């Protein structure tokens, strides 16, 4: 019973003393009083003197006093009257709290003799306090999953009053879900519990507010209230649900990466993490799928380029999951729209890069075209340039062959660039080009062609051997070995002409060489054929005529035919003493094997024993007397005659002529008077002279024949050639010269004169007469005549 007071050290001390006193006063009886709390001060509790059976005066004399346990004096004793008065208002709750009964102990102490009286004052409770909740509000979180019947403890209200004045009952404001039951503890205190009557649904009513009232048992009862907030705690009781169960979208295949395809959306009625949905791909392709879904927003975007040709449709299932594992699904059907994004493709399956010319029809290439787009985007047309001799032939499906239209000619065009264009019909039109280069290979279809159909070459006679005399040239429009030309000399049909000893040709470049020195006097000109052959298979060849003209050089001196030179004795002419001036003594005859001005001869008198008596006509070699002979003139004269050609430098020949002056024309020649000879010796000399003359005549005849033959032949040869030119240089033919070109021709009349002259002399040359007539030409004009083809055959009369 002291426990409530044993709070401070002083109190402990007091308790200790009381204990001693109690031990000492064992057996003494306590006096009990009772009074309700909250009684006004000054309240007369009792009269102690009366209660103790003492006199009032005795209280004073014996020094009666009240000893309170504790410091506070609650009671006051009036020593005069012995009344015990309440000093102040007492609050039971303050003094005793929950201790029941609430008893205040104090002693009445008397001295002389010392006497203790134990007095107890019991305070009785009155309902002076209302129940009070510790907080004005209470928060209660109840998961919506809580089952009906579930009990939730509530904080109890405090009421310092005790007994029936304490809280007796709890009530809750009317509602659909809860009621309160009031329980009693062992000590009698009451506590409330909330009982769920009907299940909660956060989605329907996320929170409730109840008023909890605690009522005590006082009279009148007092009450206290508190607000109970009930928060319905969400539990994941709702699955996410998509707004649409099927999304159908179309997207062009050329959409850029990251393009929004569709945004799916799912709702979850739960809140918080239970209402947060995460979107993901449930099914339909996995990593290879070109779409990516945003986990939070549900936006499906393009991740990889689309290709209508590869996959025109996509079907996906999207799942939305909340944190609690509930999920919902929807389907997304994506249709890829074709865009003309593929150019046609061209695949060459076979290609001939080189086709022979002349081939009637050749396949150049086989190719196929393809376009993975669909519809018009995949329909193709195929073409090549239309100015080429090639054709495109469709074979089957998308295969084409490129063929030549006809034979080609490499020489006109050796290479073709064929551009194949394939375009589709989409919008925009896409096209592909492929260029094929075709080489036209050579066929030997062109013969070599000479730059000229005939060539004329000139060579000065007496050339050095192996002289380059000219070059012939042929071209071949083929290529390679078909155009590689080899030159050659073709065999001549003239058996006289040993061509291979005269001319050689460089087979590679067509250079012509004279192998040896040519002699104009032997061979004035000749023709031969050269050939040019290519190395094709078969080889083609062509030929050209080469006319080679030998140009004359003054390499022959004039040759004196008459007077004869190599007789044992000098040639002698007879001259009658009575000869008139201008008497023709003789005529000098000479030939020159050269031609042209190299054969133009002039005669002159170089030396005479009697100058002025004889003169020589320069242009015809006639030796005539210039004056009458007188008796004083010597009978014997010696003339040195010169014949000179017109070459550069000129060449000449001289001859010595003896003239014997005789008296009387018709008399035969007699031995010189001053020469004494015996007849035998004279006969022998005559015979020798005849022999010499005969021999000379034969020789001359032979020489003339040879010259005649050469002359005729040359004229014929020149006539046969188409060339109009001749070796004689153009120019004025000087009148004082005689042209004896080539054969050294003599006119018939001139021969006649020679013969006559011979007759006039010894008559030993009469045999010449019949041999000459057919020497040259029937022509006997007085003037110089010119043959159209052989200008060097002049005839003088
Ligand atoms: C508590 O109060 C309720 C309602 O006012 C009443 O029905 C119930 O009987 C009371 N309980 C007690 C123990 O007084
Ligand atoms: C073909 O094309 C090639 C390469 O572009 C070029 O060198 C050649 O000259 C062209 N040929 C023709 C005939 O156009
Ligand atoms: C005279 O000369 C010619 C030419 O030189 C010669 O052919 C001939 O045999 C000669 N005659 C005599 C008799 O010597």
């Amino acid at each position: 019973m002291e426990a409530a007071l044993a709070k401070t050290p002083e109190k402990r001390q007091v308790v200790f003393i009381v204990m001693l006193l109690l031990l000492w006063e064992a057996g003494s009886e306590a006096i009990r009083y009772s009074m309700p709390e909250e009684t006004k001060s000054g309240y007369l509790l009792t009269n102690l003197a009366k209660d103790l059976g003492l006199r009032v005066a005795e209280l004073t004399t014996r020094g009666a006093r009240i000893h309170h346990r504790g410091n506070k004096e609650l009671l006051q004793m009036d020593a005069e009257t012995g009344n015990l008065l309440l000093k102040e208002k007492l609050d039971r709750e303050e003094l005793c709290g929950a201790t029941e009964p609430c008893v205040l102990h104090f002693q009445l102490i008397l001295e002389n003799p010392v006497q203790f009286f134990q007095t107890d004052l019991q305070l009785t409770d009155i309902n002076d306090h209302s129940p009070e909740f510790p907080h004005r509000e209470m928060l209660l979180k109840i998961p919506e999953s809580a089952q009906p019947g579930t009990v939730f403890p509530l904080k109890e209200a405090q009421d310092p009053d005790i007994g029936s004045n304490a809280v007796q009952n709890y009530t809750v404001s009317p509602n659909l879900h809860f009621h309160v039951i009031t329980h009693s503890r062992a000590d009698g205190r009451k506590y409330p519990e909330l009982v769920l009557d009907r299940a909660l649904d956060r989605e329907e009513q996320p929170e409730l507010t109840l008023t909890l009232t605690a009522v005590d048992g006082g009279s009148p009862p007092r009450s206290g209230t508190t607000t109970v907030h009930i928060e319905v705690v969400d539990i994941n009781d709702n699955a996410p649900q998509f707004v649409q169960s099927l999304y159908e979208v179309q997207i062009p295949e050329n959409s850029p990466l990251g393009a929004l395809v569709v945004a799916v959306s799912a709702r979850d009625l739960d809140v918080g993490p239970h209402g947060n949905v995460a979107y993901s791909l449930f099914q339909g392709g996995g990593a290879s799928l070109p779409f990516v879904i945003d986990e939070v927003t549900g936006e499906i975007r393009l991740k990889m380029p689309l290709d209508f040709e590869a996959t025109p449709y996509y079907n996906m299932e999207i799942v939305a999951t909340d944190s609690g594992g509930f999920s919902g699904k929807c389907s997304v059907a994506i249709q890829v729209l074709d865009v003309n994004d593929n150019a046609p493709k061209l695949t060459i399956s076979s290609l001939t890069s080189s086709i022979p010319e002349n081939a009637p029809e050749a396949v150049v290439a086989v190719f196929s075209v393809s376009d993975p787009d669909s519809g018009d985007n995949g329909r193709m047309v195929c073409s090549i340039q239309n100015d080429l001799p090639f054709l495109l032939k469709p074979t089957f499906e998308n295969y084409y062959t490129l063929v030549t239209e006809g034979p080609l000619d490499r020489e006109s065009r050796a290479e073709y660039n064929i551009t194949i264009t394939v375009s589709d019909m989409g919008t925009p039109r896409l096209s592909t080009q492929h260029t094929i280069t075709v080489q036209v290979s050579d066929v030997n279809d062109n013969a070599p062609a000479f730059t000229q159909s005939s060539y004329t070459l000139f060579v000065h006679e007496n050339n050095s051997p192996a002289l380059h005399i000219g070059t012939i040239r042929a071209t071949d429009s083929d290529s390679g070995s078909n155009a590689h030309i080899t030159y050659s000399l073709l065999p001549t049909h003239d058996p006289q002409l040993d061509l291979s000893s005269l001319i050689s040709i460089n087979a590679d470049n067509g250079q012509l060489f004279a192998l040896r020195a040519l002699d104009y006097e032997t061979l004035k000109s000749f023709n031969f054929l050269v050939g040019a052959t290519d190395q094709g298979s078969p080889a083609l060849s062509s030929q050209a005529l080469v006319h080679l003209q030998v140009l004359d050089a003054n390499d022959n001196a004039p040759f004196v035919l008459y007077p004869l030179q190599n007789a044992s004795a000098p040639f002698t002419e007879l001259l009658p003493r009575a000869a008139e001036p201008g008497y023709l003594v003789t005529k000098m005859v000479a030939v020159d094997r050269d031609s042209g001005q190299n054969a133009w001869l002039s005669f002159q008198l170089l030396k005479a024993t009697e100058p002025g008596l004889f003169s020589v006509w320069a242009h015809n070699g006639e030796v005539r007397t210039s004056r009458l002979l007188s008796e004083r003139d010597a009978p014997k004269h010696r003339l040195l005659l010169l014949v000179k050609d017109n070459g550069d430098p000129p060449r000449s020949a001289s001859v010595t002529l003896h003239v014997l002056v005789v008296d009387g024309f018709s008399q035969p020649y007699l031995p010189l008077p001053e020469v004494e000879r015996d007849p035998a010796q004279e006969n022998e000399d005559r015979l020798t002279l005849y022999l010499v003359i005969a021999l000379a005549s034969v020789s001359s005849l032979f020489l003339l024949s040879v010259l005649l033959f050469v002359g005729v032949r040359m004229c014929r040869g020149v006539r046969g050639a188409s060339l109009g030119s001749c070796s004689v240089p153009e120019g004025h033919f000087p009148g004082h010269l005689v042209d004896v070109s080539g054969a050294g021709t003599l006119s018939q009349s001139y021969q006649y004169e020679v013969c006559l002259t011979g007759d006039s002399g010894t008559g030993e040359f009469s045999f010449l007469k019949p041999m000459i007539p057919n020497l040259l030409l029937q022509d006997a004009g007085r003037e110089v005549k010119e043959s159209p083809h052989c200008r060097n055959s002049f005839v003088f009369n």
Side-chain angles (χ1 to χ4, degrees):
M1 55 187 259
E2 286 83 8
L5 294 173
K7 296 282 183 208
T8 64
E10 294 94 322
K11 282 183 178 167
R12 261 178 223 202
Q13 202 177 3
V14 171
V15 169
F16 180 66
I17 296 166
V18 169
M19 292 286 280
L20 287 175
L21 289 173
L22 284 175
L23 286 172
W24 181 53
E25 281 284 326
S28 63
E29 192 82 5
I31 309 161
R32 283 188 176 264
Y33 304 100
S34 177
M35 107 182 162
E37 60 171 336
E38 303 290 335
T39 307
K40 287 180 184 141
S41 60
Y43 171 75
L44 175 64
L45 187 62
T46 185
N47 188 297
L48 270 177
K50 204 194 294 173
D51 289 345
L52 294 175
L54 299 170
R55 289 165 298 155
V56 175
E58 202 175 7
L59 290 175
T60 311
T61 55
R62 287 185 69 183
R65 51 190 165 95
I66 298 289
H67 175 76
H68 289 275
R69 290 189 192 165
N71 298 328
K72 222 169 173 186
E73 285 194 13
L74 301 174
L75 297 171
Q76 187 183 9
M77 191 177 68
D78 185 356
E80 304 286 319
T81 57
N83 284 343
L84 193 59
L85 301 172
L86 191 59
K87 204 171 178 186
E88 59 184 71
K89 199 156 83 175
L90 295 177
D91 184 10
R92 188 201 71 85
E93 281 76 25
E94 187 187 338
L95 293 171
C96 298
T99 309
E100 179 65 22
C102 178
V103 180
L104 300 175
H105 301 282
F106 55 92
Q107 286 87 32
L108 179 65
I109 303 171
L110 295 176
E111 293 171 3
N112 300 322
V114 175
Q115 223 176 346
F116 287 92
F117 293 94
Q118 179 67 35
T119 311
D120 293 346
L121 174 62
Q122 181 178 2
L123 288 173
T124 57
D125 186 42
I126 64 161
N127 192 17
D128 58 348
H129 288 89
S130 294
E132 202 172 327
F133 287 96
H135 301 290
R136 296 184 59 81
E137 293 188 342
M138 252 192 270
L139 180 64
L140 208 57
K141 293 189 178 181
I142 300 174
E144 54 181 331
S145 59
Q147 294 298 311
T150 310
V151 173
F152 304 96
L154 293 173
K155 294 230 171 73
E156 59 187 83
Q158 301 297 324
D159 191 336
D161 297 325
I162 55 167
S164 63
N165 291 334
V167 176
Q168 294 301 311
N169 202 1
Y170 290 96
T171 59
V172 75
S173 55
N175 68 87
L176 292 170
H177 295 279
F178 296 98
H179 71 271
V180 166
I181 53 172
T182 308
H183 291 280
S184 293
R185 286 215 174 79
D187 62 0
R189 280 192 294 141
K190 305 286 192 287
Y191 64 92
E193 273 181 352
L194 199 60
V195 180
L196 183 66
D197 295 328
R198 223 180 103 205
L200 293 167
D201 184 5
R202 189 204 63 80
E203 285 73 35
E204 194 183 301
Q205 193 176 12
E207 61 177 27
L208 286 86
T209 304
L210 304 176
T211 305
L212 180 67
T213 308
V215 184
D216 63 20
S219 179
R222 302 174 75 117
S223 64
T225 61
T226 184
T227 307
V228 179
H229 291 289
I230 294 172
E231 194 181 296
V232 183
V233 178
D234 185 48
I235 62 149
N236 193 23
D237 56 348
N238 285 284
Q241 200 170 10
F242 278 96
V243 179
Q244 284 173 248
S245 63
L246 174 64
Y247 292 84
E248 282 175 313
V249 287
Q250 294 182 328
I251 178 167
E253 61 175 330
N254 61 352
S255 298
L257 294 189
L260 177 66
V261 180
V262 66
V264 296
S265 168
R267 278 209 300 260
D268 192 311
L269 296 174
D270 295 323
V271 293
H274 297 147
N276 289 342
V277 292
Y279 300 94
S280 61
L281 184 71
F282 187 64
Q283 223 172 20
S288 64
L289 203 67
F291 304 103
V292 65
I293 184 161
D294 189 304
E295 190 176 287
V296 178
T297 61
E299 288 174 343
I300 298 175
R301 289 181 183 276
L302 200 56
K303 167 176 86 168
M304 289 190 280
L306 292 173
D307 185 9
F308 170 83
E309 288 70 35
T311 319
Y313 295 101
Y314 291 93
N315 278 305
M316 300 184 292
E317 289 204 329
I318 303 295
V319 68
T321 314
D322 63 21
S323 62
F326 284 115
S327 62
K329 274 199 293 189
C330 76
S331 297
V332 178
I334 297 172
Q335 187 186 356
V336 181
L337 300 177
D338 187 35
V339 171
N340 192 19
D341 57 348
N342 288 284
K345 230 162 83 179
L346 188 150
T347 313
I348 302 273
S349 358
S350 86
L351 177 63
T352 315
S353 59
S354 175
I355 50 174
E357 59 177 333
N358 300 342
E361 187 188 279
V363 174
V364 178
V366 178
F367 62 91
S368 63
V369 293
S370 60
D371 188 332
D373 291 324
S374 64
D376 275 352
N377 293 342
R379 289 227 325 268
M380 292 161 290
V381 286
C382 201
S383 63
I384 59 169
Q385 306 101 297
N386 44 23
D387 56 344
L388 296 181
F390 295 90
L391 283 179
L392 272 182
K393 282 189 180 171
T395 45
F396 67 95
E397 284 177 8
N398 286 330
Y399 276 85
Y400 290 86
T401 39
L402 179 66
V403 296
T404 58
E405 227 169 31
L408 300 171
D409 183 19
R410 189 202 66 83
E411 284 72 36
S412 54
R413 189 161 172 186
E415 189 187 64
Y416 292 90
N417 284 344
I418 306 162
T419 303
I420 304 169
T421 307
V422 190
S423 34
D424 61 24
M425 312 288 274
T427 319
R429 290 185 71 159
L430 296 177
S431 61
T432 302
Q433 291 199 328
H434 189 92
T435 298
I436 294 173
T437 299
V438 176
Q439 308 283 349
V440 183
S441 66
D442 189 40
V443 168
N444 193 22
D445 55 353
N446 287 283
F450 278 100
T451 53
Q452 293 170 233
S453 61
S454 70
Y455 297 83
T456 303
L457 303 177
F458 297 99
V459 190
H460 287 277
E461 63 172 333
N462 304 326
N463 57 286
S464 55
L467 177 74
H468 176 220
I469 56 173
T471 304
I472 55 158
R473 180 140 214 90
T475 55
D476 194 317
S477 45
D478 292 322
S479 74
S481 65
N482 291 339
H484 194 278
I485 296 174
T486 308
Y487 299 93
S488 61
L489 291 175
L490 297 182
T492 172
H493 299 299
D494 186 352
Q496 310 273 302
L497 192 65
D498 185 8
L499 191 63
S500 61
S501 70
L502 291 174
I503 300 292
S504 78
I505 191 166
N506 185 324
D508 294 330
N509 56 21
Q511 288 182 336
L512 287 166
F513 298 91
L515 286 179
R516 55 182 171 85
L518 294 171
D519 184 18
Y520 173 82
E521 286 71 33
T522 316
L523 190 57
K524 289 191 171 52
S525 67
F526 56 93
N527 294 330
F528 57 91
L529 291 171
V530 286
T533 308
D534 63 26
Q535 293 185 352
S537 170
L540 296 176
S541 62
S542 61
Q543 57 187 44
L545 178 75
V546 179
H547 174 72
L548 190 130
Q549 185 92 39
V550 182
L551 298 179
D552 184 41
N554 193 21
D555 58 344
N556 286 286
F559 179 76
V560 181
L561 290 177
Y562 185 84
L564 292 173
Q565 283 308 289
N566 48 2
S568 57
F571 192 84
T572 305
E573 284 288 349
L574 299 180
L575 173 64
R577 191 171 290 272
E580 296 285 313
Y583 178 84
L584 177 64
V585 181
T586 186
K587 182 171 178 176
M588 191 175 170
V589 177
V591 293
D592 195 315
R593 297 178 65 214
D594 295 320
S595 71
Q597 66 179 20
N598 293 336
W600 297 348
L601 302 182
S602 69
F603 303 90
Q604 69 189 91
L605 180 60
L606 207 60
K607 219 165 107 188
T609 17
E610 181 70 45
L613 181 56
F614 299 98
S615 64
V616 173
W617 289 29
H619 69 278
N620 60 7
E622 286 178 353
V623 181
R624 290 176 186 268
T625 55
S626 313
R627 58 177 171 83
L628 281 173
L629 290 162
S630 68
E631 289 300 323
R632 286 180 292 115
D633 286 323
K636 208 176 149 192
H637 296 272
R638 190 168 173 271
L639 304 179
L640 184 60
L641 300 171
L642 182 81
V643 58
K644 191 170 77 174
D645 65 22
N646 198 31
D648 180 27
R651 284 173 173 258
S652 61
S654 61
V655 62
T656 307
L657 177 68
H658 289 245
V659 178
L660 193 62
V661 179
V662 290
D663 296 321
F665 182 64
S666 57
Q667 285 175 0
Y669 171 76
L670 296 173
L672 296 174
E674 62 271 12
V675 180
E676 296 293 327
R677 299 181 181 203
D678 67 340
Q681 177 63 39
E682 203 168 297
N683 274 343
E684 202 168 286
D685 282 351
R686 273 184 100 88
L687 189 63
T688 309
L689 182 65
Y690 287 146
L691 282 172
V692 168
I693 290 170
L695 202 59
S697 303
V698 169
S699 302
S700 302
L701 186 64
F702 172 72
L703 184 64
L704 284 172
S705 305
V706 167
L707 293 174
L708 179 69
F709 171 75
V710 170
V712 168
R713 187 169 166 80
M714 201 181 76
C715 282
R716 202 180 282 155
V718 170
R719 252 186 222 111
S722 61
L723 305 167
S725 63
C726 202
S727 60
V728 178
E730 296 279 349
H732 177 67
F733 181 71
H736 67 283
L737 300 178
V738 60
D739 189 352
V740 295
S741 296
T745 49
L746 301 173
S747 73
Q748 191 173 1
S749 57
Y750 173 69
Q751 299 298 334
Y752 176 75
E753 277 183 58
V754 170
C755 295
L756 192 70
T757 313
D759 259 2
S760 71
T762 61
E764 288 157 356
F765 294 106
S766 55
F767 61 87
L768 274 173
K769 201 174 175 179
M771 293 151 37
I772 302 297
N774 58 349
L775 184 62
L776 192 73
L777 316 176
Q778 299 72 12
D779 226 329
R782 209 77 196 121
E783 66 282 325
V784 173
K785 298 216 168 171
E786 194 175 305
S787 150
H789 293 296
C790 185
R791 277 171 40 188
N792 53 353
S793 50
F794 292 107
V795 175
F796 279 81
N797 258 348

